[in-house]
Amino acid sequence: MSARRFLRRSLVTACVATSVAVATTITGSALASAADPIADRYGNLVAGGVTATNVSAHLRALQAIAARNGGNRSLGTTGYLQSLDYVEGKLRAAGYMPTRQEFTATQFEERSHSLSAGGAAIESEVLAYSGATPSVTAPVTEVPASDATPGCEASDFGAATRGSIVVVERGVCAFGDKAGNAKKAGAKALVIVNNEDGSIQGTLGEDAGDPIPVLGVARAQGSQVRQAGSLTLAVDASTTRVKSWNLMAETHFGSSDSVVMLGAHLDSVPEGPGINDNGSGSASVLQTAITMTAVAPVRNKVRFAFWGAEEEGLIGSTHYVTSLPASQQAKIKRYLNFDMLGSHNGGYFVYDGDGSSKLPDSYAGPAGSGTIEAVFTRFLTGRGVQPEVSGFDGRSDYDAFAQAGIASGGIDSGADKVKTPAQAAKWGGTAGEIFDQNYHTAQDTYANVNQKVLGNLAPAVAYAAGYFAIN
Ligand code: PHE
Ligand code: ZN
Ligand code: ZN
């Protein structure tokens, strides 16, 4: 460390030391291993105030809210509104001045659907935001499976498309593009054949407009639908516009020209109370915010966000980022995301900020994301946990930030991937089962939160907040 750099840091040292009673002894090795020793010290100070125990008090409150409100806390429900009230009340009591950011979300609800050929039922999935139709039978047309960009160009759909149910392969362009092209060509409905194993869990995007009905089928059903002379399908679903809110709060201290943001989605899926997904991230960010008021001041402003409508397609966080002027975006130096920190059969994952692990279907974070990865990794390793990387696959609220070029990072304990024997050996839990068996179900309850996993990851939230409040 150069002398000048040390001088700059020592000013911060003085600042931190006078404002808090520094109880921790900084060991030589901790100093040596931390990239920024003052930030490390501050991070540890905040981490000391965030435990599985105090985070769990918030989890029980969220569980009780779900129980009083039909078992969930999803977009457009009283359960979500009461979750907002709860977090807002705790932030206010801690001295913050929280604000709500309103947005409109497009909500898709599917009630039933069917697909058949000559009376034989074919298993299928409705893509989110699909159009609806009573039972309709129509001749099949197809975009050849050999098309390199299947259904991505208007010219893929010939004159015979009009009035037909058109079959197209998945891939290359968005589902919504294929659906739009098929509609323009006059198709009655679209069936998309998967290009990999399993069913298609896809979305046309909330801005799909007024699309035709769109079903997905597994690759195994591909030849059956292509070779059917005609198909019969029905979709009972609706798309409605609902108001929702993000909840924001920020530290009074710290420069608003250099902001570190922590975010967690506060909504659950309609199927359950969402205590791991994502009460765990929300409660950890909330407890971090509460703790930080006791150990202020900070150098950078810390902004806490509780996102709405993540489960409907990252709607709240996307609204926040895209409605923020570029000049304000530029002041956000880092975004830290927390989604699922107490998975029942959980593990320890740090987002692969620098993209060095080349995980499938994942992108490298913007410049600076590698630093965030390193800070989480060092903290967890220091606790005796050996983390692995998870990819930026676009499945949580960091996505809009990363797309906007903001350095991003975060941690999670795993969702619907299967734990390997090697992972079970080092982390415990059950190999061959997914990380959270309760993922998106009514069983995502307080009782099913893994307290040991939460006990390691919640302090990591706090540590990173403290670290990047200084660094
Ligand atoms: N964001 C996903 C959800 O809320 C879960 C998830 C978390 C997936 C972290 C991958 C990594 O359902
Ligand atoms: Zn989630
Ligand atoms: Zn979820």
Side-chain angles (χ1 to χ4, degrees):
M1 185 185 287
S2 76
R4 196 203 279 143
R5 187 174 156 82
F6 185 76
L7 197 75
R8 189 163 63 85
R9 296 298 182 212
S10 62
L11 290 173
V12 181
T13 319
C15 182
V16 171
T18 50
S19 64
V20 292
V22 179
T24 38
T25 310
I26 306 298
T27 64
S29 66
L31 278 173
S33 62
D36 178 339
I38 306 311
D40 177 62
R41 175 155 68 174
Y42 192 68
N44 278 313
L45 214 53
V46 183
V50 179
T51 63
T53 304
N54 59 21
V55 167
S56 286
H58 305 310
L59 295 182
R60 285 192 296 272
L62 294 173
Q63 175 72 65
I65 287 169
R68 288 201 296 275
N69 291 281
N72 75 87
R73 305 179 299 103
S74 68
L75 171 67
T77 67
T78 49
Y80 184 67
L81 290 179
Q82 289 178 23
S83 299
L84 279 175
D85 287 344
Y86 175 79
V87 175
E88 186 176 54
K90 290 288 170 189
L91 289 167
R92 224 182 267 291
Y96 289 94
M97 290 166 55
T99 57
R100 292 183 186 202
Q101 179 185 38
E102 186 181 307
F103 61 88
T104 306
T106 308
Q107 191 171 31
F108 177 72
E109 193 195 346
E110 189 231 309
R111 287 168 290 273
S112 65
H113 71 276
S114 60
L115 174 68
S116 61
I122 300 168
E123 201 173 311
S124 64
E125 302 286 342
V126 178
L127 275 75
Y129 304 111
S130 163
T133 181
S135 183
V136 54
T137 300
V140 170
T141 58
E142 55 175 328
V143 175
S146 56
D147 192 302
T149 55
C152 301
E153 287 90 33
S155 58
D156 290 340
F157 299 88
T161 305
R162 185 157 303 278
S164 76
I165 294 174
V166 60
V167 179
V168 65
E169 211 77 359
R170 181 184 192 172
V172 184
C173 61
F175 296 127
D177 295 345
K178 297 176 198 250
N181 289 334
K183 183 183 177 181
K184 269 189 220 121
K188 277 215 155 68
L190 177 65
V191 175
I192 300 178
V193 178
N194 207 351
N195 56 3
E196 55 189 38
D197 288 337
S199 63
I200 296 182
Q201 307 279 329
T203 176
L204 303 180
E206 62 161 335
D207 299 321
D210 182 22
I212 56 174
V214 182
L215 295 177
V217 299
R219 175 156 64 180
Q221 268 73 56
S223 52
Q224 192 183 355
V225 292
R226 283 183 184 282
Q227 283 156 22
S230 72
L231 287 167
T232 299
L233 62 80
V235 175
D236 181 12
S238 55
T239 297
T240 47
R241 308 271 287 162
V242 260
K243 245 195 259 180
S244 193
W245 293 267
N246 297 321
L247 181 67
M248 326 285 304
E250 59 186 34
T251 53
H252 297 285
F253 297 100
S255 166
S256 50
D257 290 335
S258 107
V259 177
V260 54
M261 274 195 79
L262 280 72
H265 74 85
L266 185 57
D267 63 314
S268 73
V269 290
E271 287 76 16
I275 303 306
N276 181 40
D277 181 17
N278 182 31
S280 62
S282 298
S284 300
V285 172
L286 173 59
Q287 189 58 35
T288 295
I290 293 168
T291 302
M292 286 195 94
T293 62
V295 295
V298 291
R299 177 204 276 173
N300 306 321
K301 196 169 282 295
V302 185
R303 185 175 299 157
F304 307 96
F306 301 87
W307 307 120
E310 187 268 359
E311 299 288 8
E312 312 284 325
L314 317 177
I315 297 171
S317 56
T318 304
H319 174 82
Y320 174 79
V321 174
T322 56
S323 61
L324 202 62
S327 60
Q328 291 296 317
Q329 286 185 13
K331 293 178 177 180
I332 303 173
K333 301 303 177 203
R334 297 181 173 96
Y335 174 72
L336 313 178
N337 192 65
F338 304 102
D339 190 356
M340 305 182 71
L341 303 183
S343 302
H344 190 255
N345 187 37
Y348 301 98
F349 295 99
V350 177
Y351 297 152
D352 182 22
D354 58 10
S356 61
S357 296
K358 305 255 180 287
L359 295 165
D361 299 317
S362 299
Y363 53 82
S369 305
T371 304
I372 302 173
E373 178 187 353
V375 166
F376 279 118
T377 302
R378 186 172 45 74
F379 178 80
L380 290 170
T381 307
R383 283 182 81 92
V385 164
Q386 300 160 262
E388 294 186 8
V389 285
S390 61
F392 283 120
D393 57 6
R395 281 182 63 188
S396 193
D397 294 302
Y398 54 77
D399 197 46
F401 290 87
Q403 299 304 332
I406 296 167
S408 299
I411 48 177
D412 71 82
S413 55
D416 46 4
K417 289 197 175 69
V418 175
K419 186 178 262 186
T420 66
Q423 289 168 331
K426 68 178 180 177
W427 295 330
T430 312
E433 282 188 23
I434 62 173
F435 290 105
D436 185 3
Q437 299 85 338
N438 313 302
Y439 178 61
H440 286 185
T441 74
Q443 280 70 51
D444 183 5
T445 58
Y446 175 68
N448 284 330
V449 168
N450 185 323
Q451 291 286 329
K452 178 179 152 224
V453 170
L454 181 67
N456 282 315
L457 292 184
V461 175
Y463 176 82
Y467 189 95
F468 290 120
I470 300 294
N471 179 261

